[in-house]
Structures are given as C-alpha cells and as structure tokens.
Amino acid sequence: MLSLITLAGTGAAIGALSRYGIMRLALPLNQWSLPFATLFINLTGALLLGWILTSSLSPSWQVFLGTGIMGGYTTFSTMINEIVLLGRNQHQRTAWQYLMLSLIGGLLMVYLGTLI
C-alpha cells in the first residue's frame, strides 16, 4: 500500500499539471482584467474539496484527492498575487470584485460540494 506522503505527492503533481493545462487553455481570456482561469480553478476546486471531505471515501482516497490533487490544483498564492497586481495597476474595483467572488463563491461552492 502506498504511503500517505506518496499519495499526496502524486496527487499534487496531477493537480498542478491540471491547473497548468487550464491556465494554458484560458490564455485567450487574458484580454480581460479579471483572472477567469484562477477564479474557475479555485471555485471548482472548492466544490470538489467540499464533496471529497464529506464523502464516504477512505482516508487514503481523501488524502490523494483532497490534499494531493485539490491542493496542487487550487492556488491561493496566485489569487492573492493577482489581486495585488490588479490593485497596483489602477484596477482596485476589479481587485475587490475578484476577492469577493473568490471568497463568497468559494464558500458557496464548498457548501454545494457537501450537498452532492
């Protein structure tokens, strides 16, 4: 049986590669000031994490999917960096909208995930 460290690390690699692929696919959306790719990634990750952590999955699967894949897939640091950059580039209103969409949307998505 794989150790929990191996499960989390393997999952994190899968999650990070998934995030990279989505970011690459979303390059045409970069013409707008709102970082849609990061918002999509974090909201879908919150939904899935809500489901994973309240499901009847075994602890090993929860580590692999939750800590590993969702941990590598979602990105708090990128979201914060984008908010700071928006604020510095005279897009304070968009920065606040992005922050609120991320926080309120993330909470809502986790809640919806627990209902699945």
Side-chain angles (χ1 to χ4, degrees):
M1 178 164 180
L2 294 172
S3 74
L4 293 180
I5 293 171
T6 303
L7 287 172
T10 302
I14 293 168
L17 290 170
S18 299
R19 176 175 28 130
Y20 177 76
I22 290 170
M23 297 292 266
R24 296 285 298 171
L25 288 172
L27 284 176
L29 296 176
N30 285 347
Q31 61 187 337
W32 293 290
S33 60
L34 188 69
F36 287 106
T38 306
L39 183 63
F40 172 81
I41 287 166
N42 286 338
L43 292 179
T44 56
L47 175 75
L48 292 170
L49 190 60
W51 173 76
I52 290 164
L53 296 180
T54 58
S55 69
S56 59
L57 293 170
S58 72
S60 294
W61 274 105
Q62 287 186 350
V63 167
F64 175 68
L65 295 171
T67 304
I69 293 179
M70 290 302 103
Y73 176 68
T74 58
T75 175
F76 181 80
S77 57
T78 299
M79 178 192 74
I80 296 300
N81 184 56
E82 289 168 343
I83 290 168
V84 169
L85 292 175
L86 283 168
R88 283 186 186 164
N89 293 322
Q90 306 305 315
H91 297 285
Q92 288 87 7
R93 183 175 180 191
T94 303
W96 279 106
Q97 290 170 338
Y98 179 38
L99 177 63
M100 292 297 104
L101 278 170
S102 296
L103 294 177
I104 295 168
L107 289 169
L108 178 62
M109 295 304 273
V110 167
Y111 176 70
L112 291 174
T114 65
L115 298 177
I116 293 177

